[in-house]
């Protein structure tokens, strides 16, 4: 499969170029950048044949799929152009700046018959796959509650648009709450119905929130508590899922690497839950590539991207107004 990268981004440099190239027969032919020199040096650094500042040129006839990892406000126009050109689209989260745009992207891809994936990498982690399997096999009984904590110290090199530019989609809610929303949906198999939240600036945010805590009501009655932050140096990440017969604990699993610790505690004591250590992004790309060849589905599809964004937008609205907000999934 021949790919174009839409965006000369860090995430493509650090994980996605390698993951694309790990797929048999995959080739990255083009990178799109808004800056000629950045695009040129990015292409040279990564051994990509062409760089361009022209979106139409990036969507040339030789390209079958695009990976979109520009800043968030560009995802919508770039995805719509790629879909119109008949390309498969793997798009970074959050899919768009608002729900209507995200729904439009996903509907357009469906109508055009192209594959659309959202890069929610955590679903691909061995740790999360093992947790989901244990939950769905009933190992902790009837579910009662879930807690997810994803409060980190944002690395220095990422303290640009994420902490200072609302117009580019900055803020911890579009950046990390979307991942937590996807993780909760993945493990619990249902969509949050209503949220309450508090958000604020705790040292890094400049006009955008850098910390948020929220509580989500699930249709089944399960209660969810979520915490995301850019300013917590030593908090660590993880989740807990509690049921009538046991609890699952996971530490260090809200991350890009196949690491962490997962265990179950129940009446018989504490036991480790083993999991596979494969590369998260390689698995995401393998499933996306297969889906584009009509074999299966991406690990997170367009609807998953719309739903994680819907939850994040509800959290932001709840934090802004101080009220409980029903999650609007845009009819999906
Ligand atoms: P970057 O800040 O690295 O890149 C985003 C854009 O910023 C690029 O497209 C580029 O524009 C521009 N840019 C890059 N370097 C510079 C520079 N030195 N000076 C000025 N502009 C520059 O973003 P990330 O890689 O951190 O994030 C990109 C997207 O990926 C976001 O949507 C984010 O939410 C998502 N993401 C997802 C992750 C996941 O694991 N699923 C992890 C990290 C990010 P241009 O292309 O025009 O050159």
């Amino acid at each position: 499969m021949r790919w174009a990268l839409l965006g000369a981004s860090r995430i493509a440099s650090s994980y996605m170029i390698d993951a694309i190239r790990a797929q048999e027969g995959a080739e990255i032919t083009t990178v799109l950048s808004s800056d000629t020199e950045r695009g040129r040096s990015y292409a040279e650094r990564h051994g990509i044949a062409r760089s361009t500042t022209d979106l139409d040129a990036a969507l040339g006839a030789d390209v079958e799929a695009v990976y979109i990892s520009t800043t968030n406000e560009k995802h919508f126009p770039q995805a719509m152009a790629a879909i119109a050109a008949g390309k498969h689209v793997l798009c970074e989260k959050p899919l768009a700046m608002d729900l209507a745009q995200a729904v439009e992207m996903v509907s357009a891809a469906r109508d055009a018959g192209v594959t659309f994936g959202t890069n929610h990498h955590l679903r691909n982690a061995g740790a999360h796959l093992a947790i989901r399997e244990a939950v769905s096999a009933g190992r902790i009984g009837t579910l009662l509650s879930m807690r997810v904590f994803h409060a980190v110290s944002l690395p220095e090199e990422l303290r640009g648009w994420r902490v200072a530019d609302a117009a580019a989609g900055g803020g911890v809610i579009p950046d990390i709450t979307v991942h937590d929303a996807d993780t909760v949906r993945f493990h619990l198999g249902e969509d949050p119905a209503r949220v309450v939240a508090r958000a604020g600036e705790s040292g890094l945010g400049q006009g955008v929130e850098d910390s948020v805590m929220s509580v989500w009501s699930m249709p089944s009655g399960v209660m969810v508590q979520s915490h995301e932050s850019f300013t917590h140096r030593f908090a660590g990440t993880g989740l807990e899922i509690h049921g009538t017969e046991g609890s699952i604990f996971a530490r260090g699993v809200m991350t890009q690497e196949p690491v962490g610790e997962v265990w179950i505690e129940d009446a018989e004591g504490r036991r480790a839950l083993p999991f596979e250590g494969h590369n998260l992004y390689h698995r995401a790309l393998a499933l996306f590539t297969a889906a584009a060849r009509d074999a299966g589905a991406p690990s997170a599809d367009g609807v998953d991207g719309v739903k994680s964004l819907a939850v994040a937008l509800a959290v932001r609205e709840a934090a802004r107004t101080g009220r409980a907000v029903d999650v609007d999934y845009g009819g999906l």
Side-chain angles (χ1 to χ4, degrees), residues 272-297:
L273 191 64
F275 59 86
E276 304 286 333
H278 55 261
N279 181 300
L280 284 61
Y281 296 93
H282 285 206
R283 184 178 184 274
L285 256 296
L287 290 173
F288 181 87
T289 305
R293 301 282 183 243
D294 292 328

Side-chain angles (χ1 to χ4, degrees), residues 7-11 32-34 38 69-72 74-75 92-94 119 121 158 161-162 175 179 256 281:
S9 69
R10 272 193 196 81
I11 179 67
L32 174 77
S33 170
S34 57
R38 188 164 61 242
S69 64
T70 41
T71 45
N72 303 336
K74 293 184 178 166
H75 295 177
E92 271 305 341
K93 42 50 65 170
N119 202 26
H121 61 292
L158 299 185
W161 59 269
R162 268 185 182 72
D175 201 50
H179 278 313
Q256 298 175 302
Y281 296 93

